[in-house]
PDB file of all heavy atoms in Angstrom:
ATOM      1  N   GLU X 370    -107.408  62.052   7.051  1.00  0.00           N
ATOM      2  CA  GLU X 370    -106.246  62.542   6.311  1.00  0.00           C
ATOM      3  C   GLU X 370    -105.887  61.679   5.112  1.00  0.00           C
ATOM      4  O   GLU X 370    -105.379  62.183   4.122  1.00  0.00           O
ATOM      5  CB  GLU X 370    -105.043  62.664   7.243  1.00  0.00           C
ATOM      6  CG  GLU X 370    -105.159  63.810   8.216  1.00  0.00           C
ATOM      7  CD  GLU X 370    -103.927  63.984   9.073  1.00  0.00           C
ATOM      8  OE1 GLU X 370    -102.840  63.523   8.679  1.00  0.00           O
ATOM      9  OE2 GLU X 370    -104.054  64.582  10.141  1.00  0.00           O
ATOM     10  N   VAL X 371    -106.126  60.372   5.194  1.00  0.00           N
ATOM     11  CA  VAL X 371    -105.749  59.480   4.093  1.00  0.00           C
ATOM     12  C   VAL X 371    -106.893  59.215   3.116  1.00  0.00           C
ATOM     13  O   VAL X 371    -106.738  58.450   2.185  1.00  0.00           O
ATOM     14  CB  VAL X 371    -105.186  58.141   4.631  1.00  0.00           C
ATOM     15  CG1 VAL X 371    -103.914  58.361   5.410  1.00  0.00           C
ATOM     16  CG2 VAL X 371    -106.215  57.406   5.455  1.00  0.00           C
ATOM     17  N   GLY X 372    -108.031  59.806   3.332  1.00  0.00           N
ATOM     18  CA  GLY X 372    -109.178  59.597   2.459  1.00  0.00           C
ATOM     19  C   GLY X 372    -110.379  59.122   3.243  1.00  0.00           C
ATOM     20  O   GLY X 372    -110.587  59.514   4.393  1.00  0.00           O
ATOM     21  N   LEU X 373    -111.161  58.244   2.642  1.00  0.00           N
ATOM     22  CA  LEU X 373    -112.357  57.727   3.291  1.00  0.00           C
ATOM     23  C   LEU X 373    -112.046  56.423   4.015  1.00  0.00           C
ATOM     24  O   LEU X 373    -111.206  55.645   3.579  1.00  0.00           O
ATOM     25  CB  LEU X 373    -113.465  57.484   2.264  1.00  0.00           C
ATOM     26  CG  LEU X 373    -113.975  58.713   1.517  1.00  0.00           C
ATOM     27  CD1 LEU X 373    -115.013  58.300   0.487  1.00  0.00           C
ATOM     28  CD2 LEU X 373    -114.537  59.743   2.479  1.00  0.00           C
ATOM     29  N   VAL X 374    -112.761  56.190   5.110  1.00  0.00           N
ATOM     30  CA  VAL X 374    -112.646  54.945   5.861  1.00  0.00           C
ATOM     31  C   VAL X 374    -114.013  54.646   6.464  1.00  0.00           C
ATOM     32  O   VAL X 374    -114.773  55.570   6.795  1.00  0.00           O
ATOM     33  CB  VAL X 374    -111.539  55.041   6.942  1.00  0.00           C
ATOM     34  CG1 VAL X 374    -111.883  56.052   8.007  1.00  0.00           C
ATOM     35  CG2 VAL X 374    -111.242  53.698   7.549  1.00  0.00           C
ATOM     36  N   GLY X 375    -114.332  53.363   6.583  1.00  0.00           N
ATOM     37  CA  GLY X 375    -115.607  52.955   7.170  1.00  0.00           C
ATOM     38  C   GLY X 375    -115.437  52.538   8.614  1.00  0.00           C
ATOM     39  O   GLY X 375    -114.448  51.902   8.980  1.00  0.00           O
ATOM     40  N   VAL X 376    -116.411  52.895   9.426  1.00  0.00           N
ATOM     41  CA  VAL X 376    -116.439  52.529  10.845  1.00  0.00           C
ATOM     42  C   VAL X 376    -117.754  51.779  11.091  1.00  0.00           C
ATOM     43  O   VAL X 376    -118.826  52.324  10.833  1.00  0.00           O
ATOM     44  CB  VAL X 376    -116.346  53.778  11.749  1.00  0.00           C
ATOM     45  CG1 VAL X 376    -116.468  53.415  13.214  1.00  0.00           C
ATOM     46  CG2 VAL X 376    -115.056  54.548  11.479  1.00  0.00           C
ATOM     47  N   PRO X 377    -117.676  50.531  11.578  1.00  0.00           N
ATOM     48  CA  PRO X 377    -118.895  49.753  11.784  1.00  0.00           C
ATOM     49  C   PRO X 377    -119.664  50.191  13.030  1.00  0.00           C
ATOM     50  O   PRO X 377    -119.061  50.517  14.048  1.00  0.00           O
ATOM     51  CB  PRO X 377    -118.366  48.325  11.963  1.00  0.00           C
ATOM     52  CG  PRO X 377    -117.016  48.514  12.559  1.00  0.00           C
ATOM     53  CD  PRO X 377    -116.474  49.788  11.955  1.00  0.00           C
ATOM     54  N   VAL X 378    -120.994  50.206  12.931  1.00  0.00           N
ATOM     55  CA  VAL X 378    -121.836  50.518  14.088  1.00  0.00           C
ATOM     56  C   VAL X 378    -123.110  49.684  14.023  1.00  0.00           C
ATOM     57  O   VAL X 378    -123.568  49.303  12.950  1.00  0.00           O
ATOM     58  CB  VAL X 378    -122.207  52.020  14.189  1.00  0.00           C
ATOM     59  CG1 VAL X 378    -120.984  52.890  14.345  1.00  0.00           C
ATOM     60  CG2 VAL X 378    -123.033  52.487  13.031  1.00  0.00           C
ATOM     61  N   ASP X 379    -123.652  49.397  15.199  1.00  0.00           N
ATOM     62  CA  ASP X 379    -124.947  48.722  15.287  1.00  0.00           C
ATOM     63  C   ASP X 379    -126.084  49.728  15.362  1.00  0.00           C
ATOM     64  O   ASP X 379    -127.148  49.518  14.793  1.00  0.00           O
ATOM     65  CB  ASP X 379    -125.014  47.837  16.538  1.00  0.00           C
ATOM     66  CG  ASP X 379    -124.122  46.618  16.434  1.00  0.00           C
ATOM     67  OD1 ASP X 379    -123.952  46.095  15.317  1.00  0.00           O
ATOM     68  OD2 ASP X 379    -123.587  46.200  17.469  1.00  0.00           O
ATOM     69  N   ARG X 380    -125.848  50.806  16.108  1.00  0.00           N
ATOM     70  CA  ARG X 380    -126.903  51.790  16.343  1.00  0.00           C
ATOM     71  C   ARG X 380    -126.325  53.198  16.391  1.00  0.00           C
ATOM     72  O   ARG X 380    -125.238  53.404  16.925  1.00  0.00           O
ATOM     73  CB  ARG X 380    -127.613  51.518  17.668  1.00  0.00           C
ATOM     74  CG  ARG X 380    -128.355  50.209  17.724  1.00  0.00           C
ATOM     75  CD  ARG X 380    -129.071  49.965  19.045  1.00  0.00           C
ATOM     76  NE  ARG X 380    -128.354  50.287  20.259  1.00  0.00           N
ATOM     77  CZ  ARG X 380    -127.486  49.470  20.878  1.00  0.00           C
ATOM     78  NH1 ARG X 380    -127.207  48.300  20.373  1.00  0.00           N
ATOM     79  NH2 ARG X 380    -126.907  49.833  22.007  1.00  0.00           N
ATOM     80  N   VAL X 381    -127.087  54.144  15.848  1.00  0.00           N
ATOM     81  CA  VAL X 381    -126.792  55.560  16.031  1.00  0.00           C
ATOM     82  C   VAL X 381    -127.735  56.015  17.130  1.00  0.00           C
ATOM     83  O   VAL X 381    -128.955  55.963  16.971  1.00  0.00           O
ATOM     84  CB  VAL X 381    -127.012  56.364  14.735  1.00  0.00           C
ATOM     85  CG1 VAL X 381    -126.765  57.848  14.979  1.00  0.00           C
ATOM     86  CG2 VAL X 381    -126.122  55.825  13.617  1.00  0.00           C
ATOM     87  N   LEU X 382    -127.177  56.421  18.262  1.00  0.00           N
ATOM     88  CA  LEU X 382    -128.006  56.738  19.429  1.00  0.00           C
ATOM     89  C   LEU X 382    -128.519  58.168  19.414  1.00  0.00           C
ATOM     90  O   LEU X 382    -129.713  58.413  19.567  1.00  0.00           O
ATOM     91  CB  LEU X 382    -127.215  56.478  20.710  1.00  0.00           C
ATOM     92  CG  LEU X 382    -126.640  55.064  20.848  1.00  0.00           C
ATOM     93  CD1 LEU X 382    -125.730  54.976  22.051  1.00  0.00           C
ATOM     94  CD2 LEU X 382    -127.762  54.055  20.941  1.00  0.00           C
ATOM     95  N   HIS X 383    -127.605  59.121  19.267  1.00  0.00           N
ATOM     96  CA  HIS X 383    -127.971  60.544  19.320  1.00  0.00           C
ATOM     97  C   HIS X 383    -126.942  61.350  18.549  1.00  0.00           C
ATOM     98  O   HIS X 383    -125.799  60.925  18.393  1.00  0.00           O
ATOM     99  CB  HIS X 383    -127.965  61.088  20.759  1.00  0.00           C
ATOM    100  CG  HIS X 383    -128.904  60.428  21.678  1.00  0.00           C
ATOM    101  ND1 HIS X 383    -130.254  60.627  21.654  1.00  0.00           N
ATOM    102  CD2 HIS X 383    -128.688  59.552  22.696  1.00  0.00           C
ATOM    103  CE1 HIS X 383    -130.834  59.906  22.603  1.00  0.00           C
ATOM    104  NE2 HIS X 383    -129.899  59.238  23.240  1.00  0.00           N
ATOM    105  N   ILE X 384    -127.354  62.525  18.134  1.00  0.00           N
ATOM    106  CA  ILE X 384    -126.434  63.560  17.677  1.00  0.00           C
ATOM    107  C   ILE X 384    -126.561  64.667  18.719  1.00  0.00           C
ATOM    108  O   ILE X 384    -127.667  65.146  18.987  1.00  0.00           O
ATOM    109  CB  ILE X 384    -126.806  64.111  16.279  1.00  0.00           C
ATOM    110  CG1 ILE X 384    -126.874  62.987  15.249  1.00  0.00           C
ATOM    111  CG2 ILE X 384    -125.832  65.207  15.862  1.00  0.00           C
ATOM    112  CD1 ILE X 384    -125.565  62.292  14.945  1.00  0.00           C
ATOM    113  N   VAL X 385    -125.444  65.031  19.346  1.00  0.00           N
ATOM    114  CA  VAL X 385    -125.486  66.001  20.442  1.00  0.00           C
ATOM    115  C   VAL X 385    -124.475  67.113  20.208  1.00  0.00           C
ATOM    116  O   VAL X 385    -123.499  66.942  19.468  1.00  0.00           O
ATOM    117  CB  VAL X 385    -125.191  65.316  21.805  1.00  0.00           C
ATOM    118  CG1 VAL X 385    -126.256  64.291  22.140  1.00  0.00           C
ATOM    119  CG2 VAL X 385    -123.809  64.693  21.824  1.00  0.00           C
ATOM    120  N   ASP X 386    -124.717  68.246  20.848  1.00  0.00           N
ATOM    121  CA  ASP X 386    -123.747  69.334  20.828  1.00  0.00           C
ATOM    122  C   ASP X 386    -122.532  68.924  21.644  1.00  0.00           C
ATOM    123  O   ASP X 386    -122.663  68.306  22.705  1.00  0.00           O
ATOM    124  CB  ASP X 386    -124.349  70.611  21.421  1.00  0.00           C
ATOM    125  CG  ASP X 386    -125.401  71.221  20.512  1.00  0.00           C
ATOM    126  OD1 ASP X 386    -125.207  71.183  19.281  1.00  0.00           O
ATOM    127  OD2 ASP X 386    -126.413  71.727  21.039  1.00  0.00           O
ATOM    128  N   LEU X 387    -121.367  69.263  21.134  1.00  0.00           N
ATOM    129  CA  LEU X 387    -120.125  68.953  21.838  1.00  0.00           C
ATOM    130  C   LEU X 387    -119.846  70.070  22.835  1.00  0.00           C
ATOM    131  O   LEU X 387    -119.320  71.120  22.485  1.00  0.00           O
ATOM    132  CB  LEU X 387    -118.971  68.801  20.841  1.00  0.00           C
ATOM    133  CG  LEU X 387    -117.598  68.543  21.422  1.00  0.00           C
ATOM    134  CD1 LEU X 387    -117.599  67.319  22.329  1.00  0.00           C
ATOM    135  CD2 LEU X 387    -116.585  68.367  20.315  1.00  0.00           C
ATOM    136  N   ASP X 388    -120.236  69.836  24.070  1.00  0.00           N
ATOM    137  CA  ASP X 388    -120.012  70.790  25.147  1.00  0.00           C
ATOM    138  C   ASP X 388    -118.653  70.475  25.770  1.00  0.00           C
ATOM    139  O   ASP X 388    -118.475  69.408  26.360  1.00  0.00           O
ATOM    140  CB  ASP X 388    -121.121  70.650  26.184  1.00  0.00           C
ATOM    141  CG  ASP X 388    -120.995  71.622  27.336  1.00  0.00           C
ATOM    142  OD1 ASP X 388    -119.942  72.276  27.469  1.00  0.00           O
ATOM    143  OD2 ASP X 388    -121.947  71.705  28.129  1.00  0.00           O
ATOM    144  N   PRO X 389    -117.675  71.385  25.635  1.00  0.00           N
ATOM    145  CA  PRO X 389    -116.339  71.118  26.184  1.00  0.00           C
ATOM    146  C   PRO X 389    -116.346  70.795  27.683  1.00  0.00           C
ATOM    147  O   PRO X 389    -115.468  70.085  28.165  1.00  0.00           O
ATOM    148  CB  PRO X 389    -115.567  72.407  25.915  1.00  0.00           C
ATOM    149  CG  PRO X 389    -116.289  73.054  24.786  1.00  0.00           C
ATOM    150  CD  PRO X 389    -117.734  72.671  24.955  1.00  0.00           C
ATOM    151  N   ALA X 390    -117.350  71.272  28.405  1.00  0.00           N
ATOM    152  CA  ALA X 390    -117.425  70.990  29.837  1.00  0.00           C
ATOM    153  C   ALA X 390    -117.735  69.520  30.097  1.00  0.00           C
ATOM    154  O   ALA X 390    -117.514  69.028  31.211  1.00  0.00           O
ATOM    155  CB  ALA X 390    -118.490  71.874  30.493  1.00  0.00           C
ATOM    156  N   LEU X 391    -118.226  68.801  29.105  1.00  0.00           N
ATOM    157  CA  LEU X 391    -118.573  67.393  29.270  1.00  0.00           C
ATOM    158  C   LEU X 391    -117.508  66.444  28.709  1.00  0.00           C
ATOM    159  O   LEU X 391    -117.721  65.245  28.639  1.00  0.00           O
ATOM    160  CB  LEU X 391    -119.922  67.098  28.606  1.00  0.00           C
ATOM    161  CG  LEU X 391    -121.113  67.885  29.175  1.00  0.00           C
ATOM    162  CD1 LEU X 391    -122.365  67.594  28.369  1.00  0.00           C
ATOM    163  CD2 LEU X 391    -121.318  67.559  30.638  1.00  0.00           C
ATOM    164  N   VAL X 392    -116.359  66.996  28.323  1.00  0.00           N
ATOM    165  CA  VAL X 392    -115.260  66.193  27.791  1.00  0.00           C
ATOM    166  C   VAL X 392    -114.216  66.000  28.876  1.00  0.00           C
ATOM    167  O   VAL X 392    -113.781  66.946  29.514  1.00  0.00           O
ATOM    168  CB  VAL X 392    -114.639  66.870  26.552  1.00  0.00           C
ATOM    169  CG1 VAL X 392    -113.416  66.096  26.062  1.00  0.00           C
ATOM    170  CG2 VAL X 392    -115.668  67.003  25.443  1.00  0.00           C
ATOM    171  N   LYS X 393    -113.831  64.743  29.072  1.00  0.00           N
ATOM    172  CA  LYS X 393    -112.800  64.404  30.047  1.00  0.00           C
ATOM    173  C   LYS X 393    -111.614  63.793  29.310  1.00  0.00           C
ATOM    174  O   LYS X 393    -111.796  62.997  28.399  1.00  0.00           O
ATOM    175  CB  LYS X 393    -113.306  63.380  31.070  1.00  0.00           C
ATOM    176  CG  LYS X 393    -114.464  63.838  31.894  1.00  0.00           C
ATOM    177  CD  LYS X 393    -114.878  62.895  33.004  1.00  0.00           C
ATOM    178  CE  LYS X 393    -114.521  61.457  32.871  1.00  0.00           C
ATOM    179  NZ  LYS X 393    -115.080  60.590  33.916  1.00  0.00           N
ATOM    180  N   THR X 394    -110.409  64.155  29.733  1.00  0.00           N
ATOM    181  CA  THR X 394    -109.217  63.517  29.196  1.00  0.00           C
ATOM    182  C   THR X 394    -109.062  62.170  29.870  1.00  0.00           C
ATOM    183  O   THR X 394    -109.256  62.046  31.081  1.00  0.00           O
ATOM    184  CB  THR X 394    -107.971  64.387  29.467  1.00  0.00           C
ATOM    185  OG1 THR X 394    -108.178  65.648  28.829  1.00  0.00           O
ATOM    186  CG2 THR X 394    -106.719  63.743  28.904  1.00  0.00           C
ATOM    187  N   VAL X 395    -108.718  61.161  29.080  1.00  0.00           N
ATOM    188  CA  VAL X 395    -108.540  59.820  29.622  1.00  0.00           C
ATOM    189  C   VAL X 395    -107.331  59.828  30.538  1.00  0.00           C
ATOM    190  O   VAL X 395    -106.236  60.208  30.138  1.00  0.00           O
ATOM    191  CB  VAL X 395    -108.355  58.795  28.486  1.00  0.00           C
ATOM    192  CG1 VAL X 395    -108.061  57.420  29.046  1.00  0.00           C
ATOM    193  CG2 VAL X 395    -109.591  58.763  27.613  1.00  0.00           C
ATOM    194  N   ALA X 396    -107.553  59.397  31.778  1.00  0.00           N
ATOM    195  CA  ALA X 396    -106.474  59.404  32.757  1.00  0.00           C
ATOM    196  C   ALA X 396    -105.949  58.019  33.066  1.00  0.00           C
ATOM    197  O   ALA X 396    -104.922  57.878  33.702  1.00  0.00           O
ATOM    198  CB  ALA X 396    -106.963  60.059  34.050  1.00  0.00           C
ATOM    199  N   GLY X 397    -106.631  56.985  32.623  1.00  0.00           N
ATOM    200  CA  GLY X 397    -106.243  55.621  32.962  1.00  0.00           C
ATOM    201  C   GLY X 397    -105.121  55.096  32.095  1.00  0.00           C
ATOM    202  O   GLY X 397    -104.558  55.794  31.258  1.00  0.00           O
ATOM    203  N   GLU X 398    -104.812  53.849  32.301  1.00  0.00           N
ATOM    204  CA  GLU X 398    -103.810  53.166  31.489  1.00  0.00           C
ATOM    205  C   GLU X 398    -104.341  53.049  30.063  1.00  0.00           C
ATOM    206  O   GLU X 398    -105.538  52.901  29.854  1.00  0.00           O
ATOM    207  CB  GLU X 398    -103.541  51.770  32.056  1.00  0.00           C
ATOM    208  CG  GLU X 398    -102.863  51.791  33.412  1.00  0.00           C
ATOM    209  CD  GLU X 398    -101.472  52.376  33.337  1.00  0.00           C
ATOM    210  OE1 GLU X 398    -100.727  52.052  32.398  1.00  0.00           O
ATOM    211  OE2 GLU X 398    -101.136  53.179  34.213  1.00  0.00           O
ATOM    212  N   PRO X 399    -103.453  53.071  29.054  1.00  0.00           N
ATOM    213  CA  PRO X 399    -103.916  52.928  27.672  1.00  0.00           C
ATOM    214  C   PRO X 399    -104.722  51.657  27.434  1.00  0.00           C
ATOM    215  O   PRO X 399    -105.605  51.638  26.599  1.00  0.00           O
ATOM    216  CB  PRO X 399    -102.610  52.910  26.869  1.00  0.00           C
ATOM    217  CG  PRO X 399    -101.625  53.629  27.729  1.00  0.00           C
ATOM    218  CD  PRO X 399    -102.034  53.339  29.154  1.00  0.00           C
ATOM    219  N   ALA X 400    -104.448  50.603  28.157  1.00  0.00           N
ATOM    220  CA  ALA X 400    -105.189  49.351  27.973  1.00  0.00           C
ATOM    221  C   ALA X 400    -106.630  49.466  28.459  1.00  0.00           C
ATOM    222  O   ALA X 400    -107.471  48.645  28.104  1.00  0.00           O
ATOM    223  CB  ALA X 400    -104.481  48.222  28.702  1.00  0.00           C
ATOM    224  N   GLU X 401    -106.927  50.478  29.254  1.00  0.00           N
ATOM    225  CA  GLU X 401    -108.264  50.635  29.809  1.00  0.00           C
ATOM    226  C   GLU X 401    -109.221  51.381  28.880  1.00  0.00           C
ATOM    227  O   GLU X 401    -110.410  51.435  29.134  1.00  0.00           O
ATOM    228  CB  GLU X 401    -108.196  51.369  31.149  1.00  0.00           C
ATOM    229  CG  GLU X 401    -107.454  50.603  32.230  1.00  0.00           C
ATOM    230  CD  GLU X 401    -107.309  51.418  33.509  1.00  0.00           C
ATOM    231  OE1 GLU X 401    -107.974  52.463  33.644  1.00  0.00           O
ATOM    232  OE2 GLU X 401    -106.525  50.997  34.364  1.00  0.00           O
ATOM    233  N   VAL X 402    -108.696  51.987  27.839  1.00  0.00           N
ATOM    234  CA  VAL X 402    -109.536  52.752  26.916  1.00  0.00           C
ATOM    235  C   VAL X 402    -109.374  52.201  25.505  1.00  0.00           C
ATOM    236  O   VAL X 402    -108.326  51.663  25.169  1.00  0.00           O
ATOM    237  CB  VAL X 402    -109.185  54.254  26.942  1.00  0.00           C
ATOM    238  CG1 VAL X 402    -109.472  54.852  28.298  1.00  0.00           C
ATOM    239  CG2 VAL X 402    -107.749  54.479  26.553  1.00  0.00           C
ATOM    240  N   PRO X 403    -110.399  52.322  24.687  1.00  0.00           N
ATOM    241  CA  PRO X 403    -110.289  51.815  23.315  1.00  0.00           C
ATOM    242  C   PRO X 403    -109.189  52.524  22.527  1.00  0.00           C
ATOM    243  O   PRO X 403    -108.943  53.721  22.730  1.00  0.00           O
ATOM    244  CB  PRO X 403    -111.663  52.122  22.720  1.00  0.00           C
ATOM    245  CG  PRO X 403    -112.570  52.291  23.878  1.00  0.00           C
ATOM    246  CD  PRO X 403    -111.721  52.841  24.980  1.00  0.00           C
ATOM    247  N   ALA X 404    -108.541  51.786  21.632  1.00  0.00           N
ATOM    248  CA  ALA X 404    -107.522  52.371  20.768  1.00  0.00           C
ATOM    249  C   ALA X 404    -108.134  53.506  19.958  1.00  0.00           C
ATOM    250  O   ALA X 404    -109.289  53.455  19.570  1.00  0.00           O
ATOM    251  CB  ALA X 404    -106.958  51.297  19.844  1.00  0.00           C
ATOM    252  N   GLY X 405    -107.351  54.537  19.713  1.00  0.00           N
ATOM    253  CA  GLY X 405    -107.807  55.654  18.903  1.00  0.00           C
ATOM    254  C   GLY X 405    -108.609  56.690  19.661  1.00  0.00           C
ATOM    255  O   GLY X 405    -109.192  57.579  19.059  1.00  0.00           O
TER     256      GLY X 405
END
Side-chain angles (χ1 to χ4, degrees):
E370 288 184 22
V371 297
L373 297 177
V374 65
V376 176
V378 299
D379 290 327
R380 296 181 317 275
V381 177
L382 305 172
H383 299 286
I384 304 294
V385 297
D386 289 322
L387 177 55
D388 181 349
L391 299 175
V392 175
K393 299 186 337 186
T394 300
V395 176
E398 293 295 317
E401 296 175 12
V402 296

